[in-house]
Amino acid sequence: MQAIGKYQVIRELGRGASGKVYLAEDPFAKRQVAIKVAFPDALKHSEDGAFYRSMFMNEAALAGKLNHPHIVQIFDAVVEDQYSYIVMEFVEGGTLEKFCIAEQLLEPREIAEITFKCVRALAFAQTLGLTHRDLKPGNILHSDGTDIKIADFGASINKISDRTIITNVGSPAYMSPELVTGQAQASHNSDIYALGVVMYYLLAGRLPFAGANTMSVIYQIVNTDPEPPSTHRQGITPEIDKIVMKAMARDPAARFATWEEFGAALAETWKHEAANEKRDQSDTERFSLARTLPFFREFPENELWEVLRISKWAKFKPDTALIKEGDHGDSFFILAGGYVRVTRGKRTLNVLTAGDCFGEMSYLAQKKVAPHRSATVTTTSDCIVIKIRAEDLRAASLSCRRLFDERFLNTLVDRLENANEQLSVMS
Ligand SMILES: Nc1ncnc2c1ncn2[C@@H]1O[C@H](COP(=O)(O)OP(=O)(O)OP(=O)(O)O)[C@@H](O)[C@H]1O
């Protein structure tokens, strides 16, 4: 195949039950895309045809709707009698299946980070009323490090019964007890179970329940609890074991009640990493901390992930000068933890705390040459500082820039009011 519509095919990426996926070039947007082309027969014939057609149409219907950094974006969809395809974001590294093999397991902390990103993506999908219903390592694509994107939301629009999914997908390995017995419909709670199974597989290199046939696996899902992942691999902490077992609890009421609760448990595990360890903060910690800062209160999920992408985070000891009066500066800062003193000459102008920003004139001045810093900012305690280059914010999305503009305006108003008060006291 050389072209699919306006797209130039580069090579085949893989194939699933209902079609092939190709890497192609979008000549107008000038980017590489992945195109899932349905096998015409798979959509037409028999009972299975109705199932695959429904999955395909559902996925196509999501074009442009599910925009999240950890969800594969659907750009375009064409569903015609002859020819049906879905154009989506190309994710370079393939699926997480390759990390489920004993010799290629990821570190438990990387798995916790990946799971947290899945949790945030699924929490976002839930705000749009969507349940994934087909979570498995083969539906999670991987680009770099712990960067992942969930794919295949085709089953997420609730038009097909779960019975159909069991018969068509074959393996019930990721299905919760109440789904395999037909006692409940799919919900975010059964997705939490499925993500627990994914986490288990990535940690242990094996599924929680193995059996010679589907019936044996279903029997175990309904009647037994798996051994914790740490039985199969060293280096898994009791906390991580507990999270997996809670997500996979047989009783739905004993699982995490919400994605928020699941995410908070994952974030908690980082607090117990050796305190003086000189490691970079994880994205889980950064995201969770940023959400608590007043500066980002109005930032929706997507814009917060964008901030993480364009910022650098660093820890500083007390008495470190972060910026110096008179220097040129092309970055601004948001304090994520600790205290800093703002001074001009010998005079203290202000003391700032978590959630405050400084150095924002580098962005607001809009000059070609970075402006001079008008004050010195020195840490007075251990600090966590978020640094953003003015030019990176200028290249960010319009919605992200608007949110920053609003925050900076508020900060400037506060400072003006402060200055007026001080003036009135002096006069
Ligand atoms: N957006 C993408 N970017 C890069 N590779 C992709 C992308 N989507 C799919 N692939 C590759 O194509 C393969 C087939 O994907 P597809 O979703 O059709 O099938 P599947 O999920 O493996 O099976 P099924 O059709 O049963 O859901 C994947 O395993 C993956 O390697």
Side-chain angles (χ1 to χ4, degrees):
M1 196 177 282
Q2 291 201 323
I4 303 167
K6 67 176 180 185
Y7 305 95
Q8 291 302 314
V9 172
I10 300 171
R11 65 181 159 89
E12 188 181 316
L13 286 170
R15 56 176 69 200
S18 58
K20 273 190 191 174
V21 180
Y22 295 94
L23 172 64
E25 172 84 15
D26 178 339
F28 298 116
K30 296 216 176 344
R31 65 181 166 200
Q32 293 196 323
V33 291
I35 307 185
K36 189 192 269 192
V37 185
F39 297 131
D41 290 346
L43 302 195
K44 273 189 196 135
H45 297 307
S46 69
E47 234 180 88
D48 279 359
F51 170 77
Y52 288 124
R53 194 162 49 249
S54 160
M55 295 271 273
F56 206 85
M57 300 286 270
N58 289 344
E59 202 167 352
L62 292 175
K65 296 201 178 94
L66 256 182
N67 297 334
H68 186 276
H70 299 304
I71 295 177
V72 174
Q73 204 178 337
I74 310 278
F75 296 132
D76 189 12
V78 172
V79 181
E80 287 169 357
D81 263 2
Q82 290 292 312
Y83 208 32
S84 298
Y85 58 88
I86 293 168
V87 183
M88 55 190 159
E89 186 178 358
F90 168 55
V91 188
E92 222 168 330
T95 76
L96 289 189
E97 278 169 314
K98 60 179 170 294
F99 299 123
C100 296
I101 302 160
E103 305 74 50
Q104 294 191 60
L105 298 182
L106 297 168
E107 286 300 316
R109 64 160 69 165
E110 292 175 300
I111 296 167
E113 183 95 316
I114 285 175
T115 311
F116 182 80
K117 291 174 181 175
C118 291
V119 164
R120 293 312 317 164
L122 294 160
F124 176 78
Q126 196 190 359
T127 63
L128 303 178
L130 297 174
T131 300
H132 189 286
R133 301 155 70 106
D134 193 15
L135 286 170
K136 53 184 181 183
N139 280 340
I140 305 174
L141 293 160
H142 169 260
S143 48
D144 188 30
T146 60
D147 252 332
I148 51 94
K149 287 178 191 272
I150 301 183
D152 271 336
F153 271 82
S156 69
I157 300 176
N158 197 354
K159 285 186 191 150
I160 356 164
S161 86
D162 298 313
R163 288 258 149 240
T164 331
I165 294 193
I166 303 186
T167 46
N168 279 283
V169 173
S171 162
Y174 303 88
M175 297 184 79
S176 60
E178 71 278 10
L179 276 190
V180 288
T181 54
Q183 280 168 348
Q185 285 284 313
S187 67
H188 79 280
N189 197 265
S190 50
D191 271 359
I192 285 177
Y193 179 94
L195 190 59
V197 179
V198 171
M199 210 178 160
Y200 191 108
Y201 204 172
L202 289 168
L203 284 163
R206 55 189 282 174
L207 279 163
F209 303 112
N213 54 49
T214 305
M215 279 323 292
S216 139
V217 173
I218 289 181
Y219 179 86
Q220 293 176 67
I221 291 175
V222 177
N223 298 296
T224 63
D225 291 320
E227 291 175 315
S230 60
T231 354
H232 307 294
R233 180 185 179 184
Q234 287 187 335
I236 298 173
T237 60
E239 272 179 299
I240 294 279
D241 260 352
K242 226 170 118 190
I243 291 177
V244 177
M245 299 307 271
K246 182 162 182 173
M248 283 187 62
R250 268 191 286 158
D251 174 6
R255 291 176 206 147
F256 296 108
T258 59
W259 289 117
E260 214 53 58
E261 208 186 287
F262 195 165
L266 288 164
E268 195 62 27
T269 62
W270 293 93
K271 293 200 178 136
H272 306 298
E273 294 261 332
N276 55 3
E277 198 187 340
K278 279 206 175 126
R279 60 173 176 84
D280 281 343
Q281 277 184 308
S282 63
D283 286 342
T284 303
E285 289 168 290
R286 289 176 182 167
F287 183 84
S288 306
L289 178 55
R291 279 177 102 201
T292 66
L293 297 175
F295 189 93
F296 297 117
R297 194 173 293 135
E298 309 293 327
F299 281 54
E301 172 105 17
N302 273 336
E303 284 71 10
L304 213 48
W305 282 109
E306 196 174 349
V307 170
L308 255 55
R309 193 173 51 75
I310 62 173
S311 61
K312 287 211 163 63
W313 292 52
K315 291 178 183 164
F316 293 96
K317 292 273 161 221
D319 283 327
T320 314
L322 298 173
I323 59 176
K324 285 194 186 133
E325 190 177 343
D327 282 358
H328 287 283
D330 63 355
S331 302
F332 65 90
F333 306 81
I334 297 139
L335 199 55
Y339 295 90
V340 297
R341 192 173 49 234
V342 186
T343 51
R344 186 171 303 149
K346 290 212 161 81
R347 234 157 46 92
T348 297
L349 301 180
N350 209 347
V351 172
L352 305 179
T353 182
D356 289 335
C357 63
F358 54 94
E360 66 284 343
M361 282 320 251
S362 59
Y363 172 70
L364 295 172
Q366 302 273 353
K367 287 183 184 155
K368 286 226 163 59
V369 182
H372 284 109
R373 302 289 192 194
S374 61
T376 297
V377 176
T378 315
T379 57
T380 57
S381 68
D382 282 326
C383 282
I384 303 174
V385 180
I386 305 172
K387 176 179 178 179
I388 299 177
R389 286 182 348 142
E391 107 185 55
D392 290 339
L393 180 56
R394 285 191 197 110
S397 70
L398 184 62
S399 55
C400 197
R401 277 181 285 146
R402 283 230 171 101
L403 287 158
F404 271 98
D405 288 347
E406 212 171 285
R407 288 308 316 150
F408 288 149
L409 197 61
N410 282 338
T411 307
L412 293 181
V413 168
D414 285 349
R415 289 201 191 137
L416 202 60
E417 276 176 2
N418 247 339
N420 281 342
E421 247 170 57
Q422 284 183 7
L423 274 178
S424 66
V425 171
M426 283 160 69
S427 61

